[in-house]
Amino acid sequence: MNKVDVLLGLQWGDEGKGKVIDVLTPDYDVVTRFQGGPNAGHTLEFDGQKYVLRSIPSGIFQGDKVNVIGNGVVLDPALFKAEAEALSASGHDLTQRLYISKKAHLIMPTHRVLDAANEAAKGAAKVGTTGKGIGPTYTDKVSRNGLRVGDILHGFEQKYAAAKARHESILKGMNYTDYDITQAEKEWMDGIEYLKRFKLIDSEHYINQLIEEGKSILCEGAQGTMLDVDFGSYPFVTSSNTICAGACTGLGVAPNRIGDVYGIIKAYCTRVGSGPFPTELFDATGDALCNKGHEFGSVTGRKRRCGWIDLVALKYAVMINGVTKLIMMKSDVLDDFDTIKACVAYEVDGETIDYFPYELSDKVKPVYKELPGWKTDMTSMKKESEFPQAFNDYIDFLEDELNVPIKIVSVGPDREQTIVRYLPE
Ligand code: GDP
Ligand code: IMO
Ligand code: MG
């Protein structure tokens, strides 16, 4: 039976999903996003150029492959227009090969205001969202008040006005009235018109037809498993299911049609925004990871919090997603370290646990295993046989702990800095 493959992040996002999607796209006919929205920032580098994609799938640079924005995505038409126009200006016209689900929900200007208002109301307990209106848009979807892309084709003005009035009344109730969306609304309406240039489709039919025809499909996740609304570090999460099951609901793909699940990990760990992060480092080592890894948000520019790899959380992510192959990114960032640490258990109230607990409270302390660093510049390596022994040992250790093979190793941001490992079938 023909199946679709899913690629997703196993940590708190920014693992390098965009780069890997671009690298794998030549093996597929179609690439599709299934959840999230412009809270994502997926970076690709090739031919000395760097692109950051937010709503548009990362398969658009390899030939003229069709890319699909699925029903599980939330779309901001103004940001989408800016993104697509910038790509068009750099020679990548997408109107004929980017399809958008009519069932994807629209992020309205007032959703962004609501995002800010919700954060302000939470005060010190704020989530540290990207401010893109993600939470309020998914809230409207689930409470059956949302606007969908398909709505722009019929009687849209009334639907928009009703939704906006609803938001305004919520904001008034929150005493949050000091905002002005005049300019944002104008750009948004331009974005709505711009959307009509694209193929707006029932993407579940399209995708299932492709599956029947034997076509190969790669599903691109956004955010990461630790930001999943059900299984992540709730409430410090995003508002969608970032896990593999999200590809089923976000595209209309049946569970028995899921093939390989590629789990993307950094060789260490980062997080942006608030919330628990047991292996976070507040010392010079953390600064070194941040500087060497250029760990600043691709959307917000915020400094990413850095720490060692967390195998307790990763085992959980492997389980929830049914990961079949791992892809390890940014191993070059560890090239200079004498010693590398990996969290193999948590200590909670004096007790050692090796499973992911209900809550990652401040009481959760990492228990580390130390491994020797490889102290070798790996950035220009091209094949597995060049790997230093200490690096192979790190890989063996991770594979043993996670019980999943590492198929690809990334040694730099460029498309070319990618090494596929030989795995016996
Ligand atoms: P995504 O959201 O998962 O697509 O990841 P981001 O693009 O937000 O963040 C990953 C960052 O790491 C980007 O700046 C990439 O260019 C960069 N990157 C990806 N792979 C590597 C790698 O192997 N080494 C280094 N040094 N940088 C990488
Ligand atoms: P990619 O796809 C890293 C984080 C935010 C915040 C929380 C909720 O590039 O990996 P939201 O705006 O979604 O309501 O914010 O989730 N967050 C991300 N962190 N990478 C992302 O996407 C993220 N998208 C959201 O920082 O903590
Ligand atoms: Mg990112």
Side-chain angles (χ1 to χ4, degrees):
M1 184 165 51
N2 188 28
K3 300 195 174 184
V4 308
D5 294 338
V6 181
L7 183 148
L8 39 76
L10 299 186
Q11 294 160 321
W12 275 283
D14 301 329
E15 295 89 351
K17 300 173 290 291
K19 170 181 164 166
V20 185
I21 291 279
D22 172 63
V23 167
L24 294 180
T25 296
D27 298 340
Y28 291 88
D29 296 310
V30 173
V31 175
T32 171
R33 278 274 304 265
F34 57 87
Q35 47 69 232
N39 48 349
H42 295 179
T43 315
L44 292 79
E45 284 189 42
F46 55 91
D47 300 339
Q49 294 283 326
K50 180 170 164 172
Y51 300 90
V52 180
L53 298 171
R54 299 161 90 173
S55 302
I56 294 172
S58 304
I60 47 153
F61 295 107
Q62 298 276 17
D64 53 1
K65 297 283 168 77
V66 168
N67 283 244
V68 180
I69 294 179
N71 58 279
V73 171
V74 288
L75 196 66
D76 181 324
L79 292 179
F80 171 77
K81 177 171 181 272
E83 191 177 333
E85 282 184 339
L87 288 168
S88 176
S90 62
H92 304 277
D93 183 56
L94 304 176
T95 43
Q96 296 311 308
R97 59 191 184 93
L98 178 65
Y99 304 171
I100 303 171
S101 169
K102 285 197 276 187
K103 295 190 175 75
H105 278 247
L106 291 169
I107 303 176
M108 296 168 55
T110 37
H111 281 132
R112 293 177 71 151
V113 182
L114 281 164
D115 197 351
N118 289 339
E119 285 285 84
K122 279 179 180 260
K126 71 177 180 171
V127 177
T129 71
T130 58
K132 299 288 178 280
I134 304 297
T137 306
Y138 278 117
T139 302
D140 273 358
K141 171 178 174 171
V142 174
S143 66
R144 297 156 293 185
N145 287 300
L147 291 183
R148 300 188 292 175
V149 167
D151 289 331
I152 71 175
L153 304 173
H154 309 284
F156 184 62
E157 271 174 35
Q158 281 148 305
K159 286 177 190 160
Y160 175 76
K164 181 181 162 189
R166 216 181 122 262
H167 293 163
E168 284 171 339
S169 114
I170 297 171
L171 287 163
K172 209 167 161 196
M174 294 175 82
N175 245 337
Y176 197 92
T177 49
D178 192 16
Y179 61 91
D180 179 2
I181 57 164
T182 321
Q183 181 60 22
E185 197 171 39
K186 193 189 156 304
E187 287 167 15
W188 195 83
M189 288 298 176
D190 289 348
I192 290 290
E193 283 311 305
Y194 184 76
L195 269 184
K196 293 177 184 167
R197 298 183 190 185
F198 291 81
K199 287 194 186 170
L200 309 181
I201 62 166
D202 290 311
S203 60
E204 66 280 24
H205 288 305
Y206 176 66
I207 286 167
N208 280 288
Q209 188 188 328
L210 291 172
I211 295 174
E212 288 305 327
E213 288 169 5
K215 295 280 185 344
S216 54
I217 301 173
L218 181 59
C219 310
E220 174 178 1
Q223 290 78 55
T225 301
M226 289 299 124
L227 290 170
D228 181 86
V229 67
D230 280 279
F231 301 104
S233 49
Y234 192 88
F236 300 98
V237 293
T238 191
S239 298
S240 65
N241 279 118
T242 60
I243 57 170
C244 183
C248 296
T249 56
L251 294 171
V253 169
N256 64 345
R257 294 290 193 173
I258 302 292
D260 263 322
V261 180
Y262 294 105
I264 316 295
I265 56 173
K266 276 181 191 171
Y268 50 100
C269 193
T270 63
R271 165 161 214 177
V272 57
S274 328
F277 179 6
T279 61
E280 182 170 12
L281 294 166
F282 301 94
D283 55 8
T285 309
D287 290 343
L289 288 171
C290 181
N291 293 331
K292 184 102 198 278
H294 302 292
E295 295 295 357
F296 296 91
S298 24
V299 174
T300 56
R302 287 182 292 178
K303 188 175 184 297
R304 294 178 185 147
R305 301 153 64 192
C306 295
W308 295 116
I309 199 163
D310 180 345
L311 295 172
V312 182
L314 278 179
K315 272 182 202 164
Y316 183 71
V318 164
M319 173 183 85
I320 296 286
N321 291 301
V323 174
T324 60
K325 292 189 177 96
L326 289 166
I327 299 182
M328 184 166 75
M329 314 300 291
K330 303 192 93 160
S331 50
D332 53 297
V333 175
L334 301 182
D335 279 355
D336 305 328
F337 285 78
D338 293 322
T339 305
I340 290 162
K341 292 189 189 179
C343 168
V344 289
Y346 294 149
E347 203 179 280
V348 190
D349 287 331
E351 194 195 335
T352 304
I353 58 169
D354 62 358
Y355 60 87
F356 194 75
Y358 170 71
E359 204 170 33
L360 281 184
S361 70
D362 288 347
K363 290 184 183 167
V364 174
K365 305 289 176 211
V367 177
Y368 287 117
K369 178 178 165 64
E370 291 193 6
L371 295 106
W374 42 93
K375 308 275 282 177
T376 311
D377 180 355
M378 291 185 61
T379 51
S380 51
M381 288 187 181
K382 296 281 174 224
K383 44 187 195 300
E384 195 183 353
S385 56
E386 295 173 74
F387 289 170
Q389 187 54 46
F391 183 71
N392 280 328
D393 293 344
Y394 189 58
I395 286 189
D396 287 348
F397 167 71
L398 295 181
E399 288 185 333
D400 277 355
E401 287 282 320
L402 300 172
N403 208 14
V404 184
I406 297 179
K407 176 71 186 161
I408 297 176
V409 171
S410 174
V411 294
D414 194 273
R415 197 188 256 175
E416 301 293 321
Q417 292 171 297
T418 313
I419 301 169
V420 179
R421 294 180 70 226
Y422 169 77
L423 298 178
E425 285 302 318

